[in-house]
Amino acid sequence: MVDGAQRLEDEFLLKLVDFAYGQVDASEIEKLSLEVSWAKGWPKDPVAFWNVETFLWQRRIPKKKRDFIETELLKIKESKDSTLGKSLDIGCGSYSYIVSDVGLDVSSRMLKFNDRILEKVQGDLEEKWNFSSGEFSYVSCVFGLNYLNKVDFVLSEALRVLSQGGKFVVVLSAKGVSALHQQHEKQKFGLDSWKLLLEKHFGTVDSYEKEDLWFFFGIK
Ligand SMILES: C[S@@+](CC[C@H](N)C(=O)[O-])C[C@H]1O[C@@H](n2cnc3c(N)ncnc32)[C@H](O)[C@@H]1O
């Protein structure tokens, strides 16, 4: 990267820290983002939004909560007939709660920082996934479904790439999302409506609420 571009990126990242602490206004970040290729168009442009979230999102989920989610996901993964094949984390962001074989996300920045996936695939979940049918025995989506327009399409792709008996696990916040995130939130359902939507694709779906989180899982 040329020196000038690096300087502007450093300036942007420093301001972002201030923004995270509520010390600067979003309009200042918006202006600076215009000079940084991967952030240009923040907060409206979705890819720029998620690229920038790489640096903010991890602060939103404290370590204790992450560990709690990991424990719950491992319990689900190992419940009933445990799944032994490949795992896929969709909308994996910069952190996969359980180490996964493949992570799929639209943001290359997010993927760059995710060290809990073995293979990183950059792509749009709302377009046909470049995976074979039945390739995975476990698919997870944590804090992701509510940000998608074509949820039915995404659920049908999750079902397609799962092998028979494979598990699909979803985690969502029961408390809703921040005002900043609401700009990119496309679905706002209660637990029962999410369950019904998932059941349309997966048949019976188990669900529960714990620590302000909703957990859902279905078996193909
Ligand atoms: C709220 S973050 C959650 C990230 C991670 N699962 C976690 O819990 O830390 C939502 C993630 O979904 C990704 N995402 C949003 N829309 C997407 C799309 N259409 N295709 C692929 N990924 C998408 C974003 O880039 C972001 O990494």
Side-chain angles (χ1 to χ4, degrees), residues 50 57 91-93 97 105-107 110 123-125 142-143 147-148:
W50 292 116
W57 180 257
C92 61
Y97 296 82
D105 201 283
V106 75
S107 159
M110 284 277 194
D124 187 345
L125 285 167
V142 183
F143 303 129
Y147 296 106
L148 301 168

Side-chain angles (χ1 to χ4, degrees), residues 15-34:
K15 275 282 178 230
L16 207 53
V17 175
D18 293 340
F19 176 70
Y21 285 100
Q23 287 166 356
V24 299
D25 205 78
S27 60
E28 217 173 313
I29 300 297
E30 193 173 340
K31 208 163 90 202
L32 287 172
S33 81
L34 298 174

Side-chain angles (χ1 to χ4, degrees), residues 170-203:
V170 171
V171 181
L172 289 162
S173 166
K175 284 201 314 193
V177 300
S178 68
L180 182 67
H181 275 247
Q182 277 173 23
Q183 296 183 55
H184 289 274
E185 191 171 53
K186 304 293 187 313
Q187 316 290 339
K188 256 189 207 161
F189 297 138
L191 182 135
D192 291 343
S193 302
W194 276 115
K195 186 172 151 93
L196 273 178
L197 184 59
L198 290 163
E199 284 185 334
K200 212 166 91 185
H201 296 266
F202 284 86

